[in-house]
Amino acid sequence: IGSGATAVAVIRISGPCAFDALRELLSPYSLENGAKKGEEEIKHMKIPKLPKPRMASLRTLYDPLSVAKGRSDNNKCAANSMQERRDPLDSALVLTFPGPNSFTGEDIVELHCHGSRAVVHGVLSALS
């Protein structure tokens, strides 16, 4: 992590799981729980579409850990109707560079997010 807060932070993810990591960050609901559900329920889940290659797209990043942290069951109806919605981390410009046509030859994701320490820490924690 850099030495301080900046206006914009660029977080780069590369490798064979880069696009899977991005899908998790873009999904307001857990994708892992959806894999355990029946086919009928999976059809209703919206797996986020990735941005077109090399084109910046403004997207909301969600914290995949926010559901796992546990919340009070004040609203059991919402929990039963569908999965709990994840907490938003930030709005970011998202770019994808599919391999082998990227600088490194691997799939690459760039997240251009707000540069505050809290946002950068939240995104990096979500990726770890």
Side-chain angles (χ1 to χ4, degrees), residues 9-109:
V10 179
I11 298 172
R12 185 173 292 146
I13 309 161
S14 67
C17 297
F19 293 161
D20 291 336
L22 178 58
R23 281 186 191 92
E24 279 292 335
L25 286 174
L26 295 179
S27 178
Y29 301 100
S30 174
L31 298 178
E32 185 176 301
N33 291 341
K36 297 175 186 175
K37 294 187 178 295
E39 282 184 38
E40 195 61 36
E41 290 180 75
I42 291 173
K43 288 179 186 176
H44 297 292
M45 285 186 61
K46 290 188 177 183
I47 296 177
K49 292 180 79 173
L50 297 180
K52 292 181 181 180
R54 293 170 189 75
M55 293 193 68
S57 178
L58 182 62
R59 300 290 182 93
T60 301
L61 305 180
Y62 294 94
D63 184 1
L65 305 175
S66 62
V67 174
K69 288 178 186 171
R71 298 181 184 163
S72 62
D73 287 338
N74 293 340
N75 191 355
K76 292 185 179 186
C77 294
N80 290 336
S81 65
M82 197 170 171
Q83 300 167 329
E84 287 188 60
R85 191 168 176 85
R86 293 174 171 173
D87 294 330
L89 285 169
D90 193 24
S91 292
L93 285 178
V94 177
L95 292 102
T96 59
F97 302 93
N101 300 322
S102 68
F103 183 72
T104 62
E106 298 180 306
D107 292 339
I108 296 176
V109 171

